[in-house]
Amino acid sequence: MRTLTVIVFAAAVTTLQISAVIGDAIVNGRKASKNTFQYMASVQVNKTHECGGFLISPKYVLTAAHCDTRGHMTVVLGDHDINQRRNLQRYEVARKFKLKPFTSVIEGNDIMLLKLDRKAVLGKKLKTVDIIDERRRVKSGTECLVAGWGKTKESDTEGVNELQAVKVSTVDIDECKKAWRKKYKKIKTLPPNIICAGGYKQNTGACKGDSGGPLVCNSVVVGIVSFRSSTCKYPDVPNVYTDISKYSRWIRAMMNERET
Ligand SMILES: *[C@@H]1O[C@H](CO)[C@@H](O)[C@H](O)[C@H]1NC(C)=O
């Protein structure tokens, strides 16, 4: 798994390093139970796990834009165990939708919709999940879950085969910005349309390889794992997620777009 390191140029001279939770793994989590997260997707590049994602309709998977790295992208669905030797349900990506100006996680718009080459056949091991709509907000302090195949600590060399999940609480946006500014003096502002959760005042959070995965509150996905500071040693600054409610209209519009 690769870590995306984002260099932020704040003031002309200072650089700051942030790691996108590309494939960021779950820290202090546990194996996800078989009858949960059946909508979880492993977004793979050259048949290697790169990022998490989740199935929102039989043909569409949502993930993070920064997961779009060079190579052949496929999506594995329907299993918590992504050991390569197994006979996995692998889908080709027919189309990728991103918001036009995606440049880096710190600029925001870290969201990507993948259209699969064929409809996934839903069943006991494969389900779709609802995403939050534009009229709703998550309150700070809400207990949610994040899942992924990422590293379980920063020093691990790779992620895990068995899906991990952990509880995280959402953090007030102003408190989140303050915590980031305090740790990284040069950060003037975090991107718009984000939710902060986990990694802060608690020892759980996302790590490398978890990027693109879902933040699930009350059975609805509200966020996409986007970035964290360079360490997965929690508590630290809060992990940052893309706020799906701000993009739900865009998602619907892309899903309704006719084939050309
Ligand atoms: C995937 O393979 C292609 C062609 O060999 C290579 O250019 C690319 O860097 C690889 N991508 C990753 C993420 O390893």
Side-chain angles (χ1 to χ4, degrees):
M1 239 153 314
R2 307 204 284 131
T3 320
L4 176 68
T5 302
V6 184
I7 317 273
V8 181
F9 296 92
V13 269
T14 342
T15 62
L16 168 71
Q17 294 206 317
I18 297 174
S19 301
V21 187
I22 268 207
D24 271 66
I26 299 299
V27 177
N28 289 326
R30 58 203 306 197
K31 229 160 84 172
S33 144
K34 288 278 174 236
N35 47 18
T36 59
F37 296 103
Q38 295 102 323
Y39 46 82
M40 197 70 196
S42 166
V43 175
Q44 307 203 340
V45 175
N46 299 348
K47 293 203 172 173
T48 302
H49 175 80
E50 180 78 15
C51 276
F54 43 97
L55 191 69
I56 59 171
S57 91
K59 242 183 161 173
Y60 289 90
V61 165
L62 208 51
T63 185
H66 77 255
C67 297
D68 194 14
T69 49
R70 208 172 311 146
H72 180 63
M73 185 175 282
T74 53
V75 174
V76 168
L77 293 174
D79 215 315
H80 284 184
D81 184 351
I82 55 166
N83 184 328
Q84 308 237 8
R85 284 184 290 272
R86 291 164 57 97
N87 197 14
L88 299 169
Q89 264 192 63
R90 192 179 294 278
Y91 295 76
E92 296 292 325
V93 174
R95 229 176 134 176
K96 296 172 185 169
F97 298 92
K98 283 187 281 186
L99 276 118
K100 269 282 136 35
F102 177 78
T103 44
S104 79
V105 293
I106 203 73
E107 302 287 329
N109 291 336
D110 194 9
I111 184 168
M112 177 166 65
L113 181 68
L114 302 177
K115 183 178 187 180
L116 307 179
D117 66 330
R118 61 190 193 278
K119 272 191 180 167
V121 181
L122 305 182
K124 220 172 139 197
K125 291 181 75 181
L126 183 55
K127 294 185 172 163
T128 58
V129 66
D130 289 334
I131 56 173
I132 192 166
D133 72 50
E134 60 272 21
R135 294 180 301 269
R136 291 171 56 209
R137 293 284 170 276
V138 209
K139 289 200 189 88
S140 60
T142 305
E143 201 172 77
C144 305
L145 287 164
V146 58
W149 286 279
K151 303 202 289 184
T152 56
K153 41 183 191 310
E154 177 62 30
S155 56
D156 288 354
T157 51
E158 53 184 61
V160 294
N161 280 332
E162 298 260 8
L163 184 68
Q164 306 284 306
V166 75
K167 275 184 196 165
V168 291
S169 294
T170 54
V171 179
D172 173 74
I173 190 72
D174 294 322
E175 189 177 349
C176 177
K177 288 176 180 167
K178 222 165 115 185
W180 273 84
R181 274 198 307 264
K182 197 170 160 199
K183 179 158 183 185
Y184 298 102
K185 301 279 183 292
K186 299 300 166 202
I187 283 209
K188 295 257 172 349
T189 180
L190 292 175
N193 305 340
I194 57 163
I195 293 173
C196 299
Y200 174 74
K201 292 186 176 173
Q202 52 190 312
N203 68 350
T204 58
C207 189
K208 195 156 155 239
D210 294 327
S211 276
L215 177 68
V216 190
C217 312
N218 304 316
S219 307
V220 172
V221 184
V222 307
I224 303 170
V225 180
S226 181
F227 66 96
R228 60 185 162 87
S229 78
S230 52
T231 165
C232 299
K233 260 196 206 135
Y234 299 128
D236 187 44
V237 290
N239 297 157
V240 177
Y241 294 81
T242 305
D243 181 354
I244 294 174
S245 71
K246 301 293 192 332
Y247 298 96
S248 44
R249 275 173 200 279
W250 174 78
I251 294 166
R252 278 201 306 272
M254 294 306 108
M255 285 171 62
N256 289 333
E257 213 174 75
R258 290 258 199 87
E259 295 288 330
T260 48

